Amino acid sequence: MATLAFAPTAGAVTPGTATATYDCGSWGGGGATLVATQSGTAATVTVTSAVTTPIAVGANQINATLTLAKGGGGTRVFTGKKNPALAAGSSVVIGPLSGTVASGDSLNSYFAGVALKMVIFGVTVNCDAVTSQSPGPFVFS
């Protein structure tokens, strides 16, 4: 008799989507939308930024690091070289950036240094978080 094996239920992060404001210096800034997912201790965050690209950027050409502050101290870092192809003048979309989380992690905007670093065609764009995430931090289960 055959039996079915079910994979463990993936963790849930709440909220799944948050917004925050970033300042990227001469590159601009403004609101960004962050979308988080979780599967066990693996998590991803995709960022859609108000920063626009002055030229077309091919798929998987932006190397990015997103740092989020962990409630209670410390940080969690999400990294990757993933992006869709972007037309000139379009908003920069990066991710999903990969990171590791623990159950109960509460992650919010990072204010103690560069929160979002993007390297595009060898040019580094550093962005500082200006606001906390709304409606609140990502809480991982």
Side-chain angles (χ1 to χ4, degrees):
M1 192 165 202
T3 60
L4 293 175
F6 293 98
T9 303
V13 56
T14 56
T17 302
T19 58
T21 302
Y22 289 85
D23 177 2
C24 302
S26 61
W27 290 91
T33 300
L34 293 83
V35 177
T37 64
Q38 178 185 6
S39 179
T41 60
T44 65
V45 178
T46 300
V47 180
T48 302
S49 165
V51 173
T52 59
T53 177
I55 59 173
V57 177
N60 303 322
Q61 297 299 307
I62 301 173
N63 197 351
T65 302
L66 173 69
T67 302
L68 295 175
K70 186 172 160 256
T75 61
R76 294 285 188 213
V77 177
F78 296 82
T79 60
K81 190 173 184 179
K82 295 181 181 179
N83 63 277
L86 303 168
S90 63
S91 293
V92 172
V93 177
I94 51 174
L97 304 176
S98 301
T100 302
V101 296
S103 180
D105 276 358
S106 176
L107 305 181
N108 206 335
S109 297
Y110 176 70
F111 297 109
V114 174
L116 176 62
K117 176 182 175 181
M118 299 176 281
V119 179
I120 308 168
F121 300 128
V123 176
T124 299
V125 179
N126 290 323
C127 303
D128 296 324
V130 177
T131 65
S132 293
Q133 291 172 199
S134 177
F138 292 129
V139 178
F140 295 86
S141 60

